[in-house]
Amino acid sequence: MSQLIEDYALIGDTQTAALVGRDGSLDWLCVPRFDSGSCFAKLIGDDDHGRWLMAPEGEVIATSRRYRDRTMVLETELTTVDGTVRLTDFMPPRHHHPRVVRVVTGVEGQVRMRSELVIRFEYGQDIPWVRSTERGLHAIAGPNSLSLDSPVRFYGRDMRSEARFTVGAGEKVPMVLSWHLSHEDEPFVLDVDRALNEAVEWWEQWCNGVEEVHGDWQDAVLRSLMTLKALTYSPTGGIVAAPTTSLPEDLGGVRNWDYRYCWVRDATLTLDALIEAGCRDEAEAWMGWLARAAAGAPDQLQIMYGSAGERRLTEFEVPWLPGYEDSRPVRVGNAASGQFQLDVYGELMDAVDRARSHDIELHPVLWRVQRALMDFVEHHWSDPDDGIWEVRGPRRHFTHSKVMAWVAFDRAVRAVERDRLDGPVEAWRAARDAVHAEVLTKGWDDRRQAFTQYYGSDSLDASLLMIPLVGFLPANDPRVISTVEAIQRELMVDGLVLRYQNSSGVDGLPGSEGAFLPCTFWLADCLAAMGRVEEATTIFKRLVALANDVGLISEEYDPVRKRLAGNFPQAFTHVGLINTARQLAVVSQTPAAGD
């Protein structure tokens, strides 16, 4: 059985990432990329589906862990009656081969250790041929190969490799696991001390470029920014939503999705988070990824792409994996990539608008791409779509989708008026006004005094919190205020916001889900914009407290079981933390009227 989601910590090399449990078991790793097949899949399976355990043989009576200073180097201290060891885990920033480095250091006493290496390629299915070498072990199955460099000898037993060794105070036992294509030579032997020093220096230098603009929350923000950096596919600048697949939104249910891809929807808020923190290189790389991914026929714009811009993200189920706490099915790929979601056009236009306003370097062809996209939106904004939440029920006229169509026209008009680009601005103004008028008429329920999930519905939706945040209406508009207050009354559980009521059946799926943490950050943003700063701060503190002991947070929170849910760590949630912290820092420094 896997541990609680919050019991995991992340290490990564900016091309893939691993999850290490509090017990010293590395339970998830896909190589060589985030979206490649896994070699360790215990996270959504069991021991036989792959893991790398490093732990004392005796009972552990105390555990503590942290990231070393401002790095993604994880240090876990494990104490037994015989002594204490420190387990240092990290992945060197990628050069060519992905590597996991694990170093056991004796802190005090004499501790008997065991290591169990269970390699299973392709999501726990492919059992490799493993042989001993002078360096340690070599495993191969099809195109995949792993080399283990170890000073202690491993022995094979029941299709797994095991080692026993003792560590005394001051002693170190380093091990390095490296992936390579099976037809290539093994990677060179890594100098572990040098690699560790270089990894620490690399992260420290990166953190030195982060601007301190987030007030009292700078430490939490810095860890969130580092998480975003770790979730970046460095060759392209794409940022994956999470390094995992199928961690459930509903424990034991079917709401299990693959999030190892890049969502266009995340573009604007991610860009804001990076720019305001001074991470301009990452912002420019993210915009470069977005421009390349969006290029092509406007009607083929997808809501998500692979980390290099791949479009075919075919979804299939993995029946041999039992899922995290029996949450089935386990899915690879994401069928929502083929959905029609109108809002994505607005999000792309808004992201480019933000980039231009901050002088982010953009490819000259991007405006031509935008104009082609706007021609498509002009002819299709009145069509029903699948909505922001990627519902698997029938298409509807979702209010949020129409609001984001308005955003697309509004940002296109701004590009002509502010940036002096050429385009049919009169037609765009007319379309913008038409969308605005329709939303105010059809998206508003006069009886409920709130905007509703879709035209003709009386249901609420947390995506409507974006109405003031994108400028569709000001935060002090009575319709915005009453909608926000309705969401607070009906969609809040344990101080956190649900996306919508699952009982409405709008998503076409059985079961329910936890509170959606990015939406709760949006609520705090709305309240802050409305002048209710103390209330916004209380919600923000509640959210920050949900992060685990090393500052990582998932997509959702189960208010009944009081635990994290959904894929982990979730980039969009960390983006929300960064942006809300920035907004609260700004409003706290803004003098009140009359001061």
Side-chain angles (χ1 to χ4, degrees), residues 63-234:
T63 303
S64 64
R65 62 180 180 174
R66 66 183 179 91
Y67 285 112
R68 180 185 295 189
D69 301 322
R70 302 184 304 171
T71 74
M72 295 297 290
V73 176
L74 179 68
E75 296 182 331
T76 304
E77 290 203 353
L78 304 164
T79 299
T80 72
V81 294
D82 297 317
T84 299
V85 295
R86 180 183 304 114
L87 176 59
T88 302
D89 290 314
F90 69 100
M91 296 182 71
R94 182 78 66 89
H95 295 293
H96 181 62
H97 298 102
R99 300 178 188 258
V100 174
V101 180
R102 314 197 76 183
V103 182
V104 182
T105 303
V107 177
E108 61 180 17
Q110 294 275 333
V111 181
R112 181 72 174 167
M113 297 290 295
R114 67 188 179 102
S115 183
E116 182 181 80
L117 181 63
V118 184
I119 300 170
R120 299 289 187 269
F121 294 115
E122 294 303 322
Y123 307 105
Q125 186 177 46
D126 293 355
I127 300 175
W129 170 47
V130 181
R131 60 185 176 87
S132 297
T133 68
E134 291 184 0
R135 293 170 53 171
L137 295 176
H138 186 261
I140 185 171
N144 294 297
S145 188
L146 285 172
S147 297
L148 175 68
D149 293 316
S150 170
V152 298
R153 184 175 178 81
F154 278 74
Y155 297 89
R157 185 174 68 87
D158 297 332
M159 297 297 178
R160 49 185 74 193
S161 302
E162 298 180 352
R164 299 289 191 276
F165 57 96
T166 299
V167 179
E171 295 179 342
K172 291 184 179 181
V173 177
M175 299 186 193
V176 181
L177 190 68
S178 307
W179 177 90
H180 63 101
L181 289 169
S182 59
H183 64 271
E184 296 180 344
D185 294 335
E186 289 186 76
F188 63 85
V189 177
L190 193 69
D191 183 327
V192 171
D193 289 337
R194 178 178 177 180
L196 176 58
N197 291 334
E198 288 178 348
V200 169
E201 182 179 4
W202 189 92
W203 280 107
E204 287 284 359
Q205 287 183 350
W206 187 84
C207 289
N208 287 338
V210 174
E211 296 182 6
E212 296 190 9
V213 293
H214 300 88
D216 295 338
W217 309 103
Q218 186 65 26
D219 289 345
V221 165
L222 182 59
R223 179 53 57 189
S224 289
L225 285 165
M226 294 171 68
T227 302
L228 288 186
K229 182 65 174 177
L231 296 179
T232 300
Y233 185 64
S234 56

Side-chain angles (χ1 to χ4, degrees), residues 224-384:
S224 289
L225 285 165
M226 294 171 68
T227 302
L228 288 186
K229 182 65 174 177
L231 296 179
T232 300
Y233 185 64
S234 56
T236 66
I239 301 175
V240 298
T244 56
T245 180
S246 300
L247 289 181
E249 299 168 2
D250 177 22
L251 287 172
V254 301
R255 297 169 183 264
N256 318 312
W257 316 110
D258 194 345
Y259 271 25
R260 297 171 299 157
Y261 307 113
C262 307
W263 265 253
V264 174
R265 176 172 300 117
D266 300 359
T268 300
L269 297 179
T270 301
L271 195 68
D272 282 348
L274 295 172
I275 291 174
E276 295 296 341
C279 303
R280 290 187 65 88
D281 289 345
E282 287 72 21
E284 290 180 359
W286 174 234
M287 284 307 303
W289 174 88
L290 181 64
R292 293 188 299 273
D299 62 344
Q300 294 181 339
L301 181 67
Q302 296 184 185
I303 66 164
M304 72 181 85
Y305 297 88
S307 52
E310 296 88 352
R311 301 188 174 198
R312 185 175 300 168
L313 309 180
T314 305
E315 182 179 302
F316 61 92
E317 296 179 2
V318 184
W320 59 85
L321 286 176
Y324 180 88
E325 296 194 14
D326 296 320
S327 302
R328 296 185 178 96
V330 170
R331 293 182 173 94
V332 171
N334 201 312
S337 60
Q339 289 186 346
F340 170 52
Q341 296 181 21
L342 184 63
D343 65 291
V344 73
Y345 294 87
E347 278 129 7
L348 185 146
M349 293 295 293
D350 194 28
V352 179
D353 176 79
R354 301 292 182 94
R356 287 198 177 98
S357 68
H358 286 89
D359 297 321
I360 296 295
E361 185 176 349
L362 300 173
H363 196 285
V365 78
L366 185 55
W367 178 240
R368 293 171 60 188
V369 173
Q370 289 181 269
R371 286 197 55 172
L373 294 174
M374 290 311 304
D375 182 66
F376 177 83
V377 176
E378 195 170 359
H379 289 89
H380 293 278
W381 71 264
S382 58
D383 295 345

Side-chain angles (χ1 to χ4, degrees), residues 520-522 524-525 536 540 575-585:
T520 311
F521 283 111
W522 298 350
D525 293 337
F540 181 74
V575 165
L577 188 155
I578 296 164
N579 289 335
T580 302
R582 169 62 177 162
Q583 181 169 353
L584 292 176

Side-chain angles (χ1 to χ4, degrees), residues 389 448 450-453 457-466 482-504 506 513-523 539 557 559:
W389 304 130
R448 300 210 64 197
F451 288 101
T452 58
Q453 187 175 48
S457 167
D458 62 359
S459 299
L460 297 174
D461 193 302
S463 64
L464 302 171
L465 294 168
M466 293 301 295
S482 60
T483 299
V484 169
E485 291 177 346
I487 289 172
Q488 287 182 286
R489 287 193 306 271
E490 300 182 30
L491 292 185
M492 288 195 77
V493 179
D494 198 16
L496 305 169
V497 178
L498 303 173
R499 291 191 290 182
Y500 47 83
Q501 292 289 356
N502 295 112
S503 58
S504 68
V506 68
E513 65 177 12
F516 198 74
L517 302 182
C519 290
T520 311
F521 283 111
W522 298 350
L523 174 61
I539 292 173
Y557 180 77

